[in-house]
Amino acid sequence: MTSLSSSPGGQDDSKHPEVDVTDLGAQGSTSLEAGHTLDSPVDGTASGRPPGRSTLAVQGLLSLCSLRFSSAWGERSSAFAVYLFLVIIFPQTLVPASAFGFCTTASGILFSSWAGGLVDRYKRLVVVRYATGVQKLATSSMYGLLLLLFKMESARRRGSAGLVLAMGAIVVFGCAEKVSSVCLAVSVEREWPSVISDGSSDKLTVMNTWLRRTDLICDLLSPLFVSALAAGVSYPFAAAFLTGMTVFCFALEIFLSGLVLGHFPQLETREIAHDAPDSDAQPTSDIPLAQNDGARRTLLQSFFSALEIFHSAIRIFAKDLIEFSKLPVFFTSLSIASIYLTVLSFDGTMLTYLKNTLNYSDPFLAGQRAACTFAGLLGTVLFPFVLRRIGLVRTGSWSIWFELACLLPVVVSIHLATTLSTPYANKESLFSPSNHVLPPWLAAALFGGMALSRIGLWMFDLAQLQILQESLEAHPRRNRLTSIQFTLQNIFDMAKYALTMGLAKPSQFRWAGLVSVIAVLVGGLLYVFGYARRVRGHIAPHWKWLAKLKII
């Protein structure tokens, strides 16, 4: 591990070249217009903190992004591969894939707060390495079980004990992978940049932006990588290869996590507070576990013990939620969580609609998905420049309304597409003419609006993330409160599954799209009236401009 220096910044300039973050497009990210001093939250935190010495070690930033890339690559690959493999193994039904998605999302709702509490209580490096170990063990176990189902036809017989056990184990490992991924996201994506920035909004903007770009690159490339393995060789080979890749990524991430700690000793020097016991976070610590001899415990005692732990976890979560809801920043978390109630993204639901209902080819849809990803990357590039010009809170307002404006032609296009497809529909197939496609102008509105909306989406995501980090920076349980946002996101994500199950017919997809746009509208209203108005004192960006245009 790289030796640590005793310089005030904790880094040896001769060993760690530094880069001025203004060179990366983040200069003056917290600058305010004259007379505007309300961009900082009113909850006692410092959104408008001074930039300070805005430099970052190049190797440190690369190490942090490499760590996140390896972790996100594994997450995105498994998220795509597991569903793909389940659909191939069970071609006649979507029940296994739906059950897997439902259970893993539910685990995110139930245990995200607990995962955030671990980040608050224990040493950062220890938490990341243990979470990495659990994540990789769970992921490789899922791949192994899926490979077994591919190879053993007898195990795939409907109703067989082997199939039930294998699917049950896959779901359990999927839940473990979900919770460990939340723990890693809270640590590496949320807490570590906040600690490394050391009070500099410029540094925080740069790290958040590059970490988001890393996520987007993984979103774009990992499904293509898995598809190439499966189509180029075979599905069993893809499962076996991904198992080996997971083991390699585990070793790589263990090394990279230590490397990041070497470049940013702040992560280690500020761990003293993490060692302090938290009575609220450990409500069952007084239980004399040593007295619970496994050989003598009855089934009833075990049940009541588990019930007590579950009740304590619910009570702690309710307490944290009440405390979090009293802060203005809570409305930003609720706002971005509401956006998860959407089918207007290139996930399984919309891809199925576009492929099976509108008869678009796989290469075309892959190209449109890539266009959306590139648009999201463009949003991360534009974010620092917009932030410099109009400030953090206002950037969030403009970006979410931009997203809503771009999605309006999308939902109109879907409505018209459904209307046009009705004459071709029959009971046997969704369309009689196999070559049916939308008119070019309608397709341009549909796919163009989808791509442009990604710019606003990812700019709003970055703005909300930085607001949350800066608002909770001094909070003793910031990671547990941060994890509540993951819980809210999973709740709205599960609501999306319920929505698509209730509106399962292709002709009803337009109503699911309408609900998605309404969810974005609600998110914008929550952000503007729940947060921006409270910290800025008004909701309009420039009253004088509106007066000149006779809008007000």
Side-chain angles (χ1 to χ4, degrees):
M1 183 180 295
T2 308
S3 60
L4 307 180
S5 69
S6 57
S7 61
Q11 299 175 22
D12 186 344
D13 292 344
S14 63
K15 293 183 179 181
H16 302 290
E18 293 182 333
V19 57
D20 192 328
V21 298
T22 60
D23 295 336
L24 298 178
Q27 183 176 1
S29 62
T30 57
S31 61
L32 302 175
E33 294 180 1
H36 294 283
T37 59
L38 291 175
D39 265 3
S40 59
V42 295
D43 55 359
T45 57
S47 175
R49 52 189 175 179
R53 185 167 182 260
S54 303
T55 55
L56 279 171
V58 177
Q59 295 100 324
L61 181 61
L62 289 175
S63 299
L64 182 63
C65 290
S66 298
L67 174 62
R68 182 55 195 163
F69 180 86
S70 178
S71 179
W73 183 270
E75 292 173 28
R76 304 307 193 274
S77 296
S78 65
F80 182 81
V82 171
Y83 285 102
L84 176 64
F85 294 162
L86 288 175
V87 169
I88 297 302
I89 293 173
F90 305 101
Q92 303 300 324
T93 177
L94 293 176
V95 171
S98 300
F100 179 83
F102 184 87
C103 292
T104 53
T105 304
S107 68
I109 295 174
L110 295 175
F111 298 108
S112 289
S113 182
W114 173 76
L118 295 179
V119 182
D120 278 326
R121 293 200 304 271
Y122 300 107
K123 292 183 177 181
R124 297 183 179 103
L125 186 61
V126 172
V127 170
V128 167
R129 286 182 168 175
Y130 271 97
T132 300
V134 172
Q135 182 194 55
K136 303 308 178 188
L137 177 62
T139 304
S140 58
S141 299
M142 284 192 295
Y143 289 145
L145 288 169
L146 290 166
L147 178 60
L148 188 65
L149 291 176
F150 275 124
K151 291 294 186 180
M152 298 180 62
E153 186 175 352
S154 59
R156 300 199 302 269
R157 282 202 301 266
R158 188 171 182 178
S160 65
L163 178 62
V164 174
L165 290 175
M167 278 305 305
I170 289 172
V171 169
V172 170
F173 286 127
C175 293
E177 193 265 349
K178 177 75 171 182
V179 176
S180 59
S181 296
V182 170
C183 187
L184 288 171
V186 171
S187 295
V188 178
E189 279 197 291
R190 305 296 174 110
E191 189 199 27
W192 284 24
S194 182
V195 172
I196 293 169
S197 66
D198 198 22
S200 170
S201 288
D202 289 342
K203 290 182 180 180
L204 189 58
T205 299
V206 169
M207 284 185 287
N208 285 339
T209 302
W210 280 101
L211 288 172
R212 276 296 183 266
R213 290 169 185 167
T214 301
D215 281 345
L216 280 168
I217 291 172
C218 291
D219 283 337
L220 172 64
L221 297 180
S222 57
L224 298 177
F225 175 74
V226 174
S227 299
L229 285 176
V233 187
S234 65
Y235 289 101
F237 174 83
F241 186 91
L242 291 172
T243 303
M245 184 191 73
T246 302
V247 174
F248 171 78
C249 288
F250 169 70
L252 178 63
E253 289 171 38
I254 293 298
F255 168 75
L256 288 174
S257 59
L259 192 62
V260 173
L261 200 73
H263 286 297
F264 299 114
Q266 307 97 302
L267 296 172
E268 189 171 18
T269 56
R270 291 183 59 181
E271 286 177 352
I272 298 175
H274 287 239
D275 294 334
D278 186 347
S279 58
D280 289 335
Q282 295 175 310
T284 59
S285 59
D286 295 331
I287 299 176
L289 298 179
Q291 298 176 5
N292 295 328
D293 190 346
R296 298 197 300 266
R297 292 177 72 182
T298 65
L299 182 62
L300 189 61
Q301 287 175 328
S302 300
F303 172 76
F304 281 114
S305 177
L307 193 63
E308 181 182 358
I309 294 174
F310 180 75
H311 177 266
S312 298
I314 295 296
R315 180 171 54 83
I316 293 170
F317 174 76
K319 178 182 177 182
D320 291 338
L321 181 60
I322 292 173
E323 179 181 359
F324 191 30
S325 65
K326 295 178 180 178
L327 303 177
V329 74
F330 170 75
F331 289 94
T332 70
S333 293
L334 196 59
S335 172
I336 198 167
S338 67
I339 299 177
Y340 277 70
L341 180 56
T342 180
V343 297
L344 301 179
S345 62
F346 280 96
D347 59 3
T349 305
M350 189 168 185
L351 285 174
T352 301
Y353 171 78
L354 295 173
K355 179 177 173 61
N356 295 338
T357 304
L358 301 184
N359 285 342
Y360 282 107
S361 64
D362 289 337
F364 178 83
L365 294 178
Q368 296 304 316
R369 181 171 183 172
C372 286
T373 303
F374 282 119
L377 287 171
L378 178 60
T380 66
V381 173
L382 292 175
F383 173 74
F385 295 98
V386 178
L387 181 62
R388 180 182 64 208
R389 298 284 295 182
I390 64 176
L392 184 59
V393 177
R394 197 179 295 161
T395 298
S397 298
W398 282 84
S399 58
I400 193 169
W401 293 127
F402 178 80
E403 179 189 0
L404 177 64
C406 293
L407 288 177
L408 290 177
V410 174
V411 72
V412 171
S413 300
I414 292 175
H415 181 87
L416 294 176
T418 304
T419 303
L420 291 173
S421 68
T422 301
Y424 302 100
N426 56 39
K427 295 182 180 180
E428 288 75 22
S429 61
L430 297 174
F431 276 53
S432 293
S434 59
N435 61 346
H436 178 79
V437 293
L438 296 180
W441 63 270
L442 197 57
L446 173 61
F447 295 107
M450 282 286 297
L452 290 174
S453 70
R454 303 302 98 174
I455 298 176
L457 171 63
W458 285 99
M459 288 181 63
F460 180 70
D461 178 81
L462 284 168
Q464 191 277 334
L465 171 61
Q466 187 160 334
I467 290 171
L468 183 69
Q469 289 171 322
E470 295 179 354
S471 298
L472 298 180
E473 182 182 19
H475 199 285
R477 297 191 308 281
R478 62 187 177 201
N479 295 302
R480 215 159 68 200
L481 297 186
T482 298
S483 65
I484 292 177
Q485 179 171 307
F486 286 89
T487 301
L488 295 173
Q489 291 171 181
N490 282 306
I491 290 174
F492 280 93
D493 197 29
M494 183 172 285
K496 178 191 72 174
Y497 287 121
L499 177 68
T500 53
M501 285 189 289
L503 302 174
K505 296 180 180 179
S507 60
Q508 296 174 326
F509 186 81
R510 53 180 168 174
W511 304 119
L514 179 61
V515 172
S516 302
V517 170
I518 294 175
V520 177
L521 173 63
V522 171
L525 294 175
L526 286 170
Y527 180 85
V528 170
F529 289 97
Y531 177 75
R533 188 178 182 214
R534 294 175 68 178
V535 302
R536 293 186 59 82
H538 57 81
I539 61 174
H542 298 289
W543 289 107
K544 294 182 180 179
W545 292 6
L546 297 176
K548 289 180 179 180
L549 295 173
K550 297 182 180 181
I551 295 178
I552 60 171

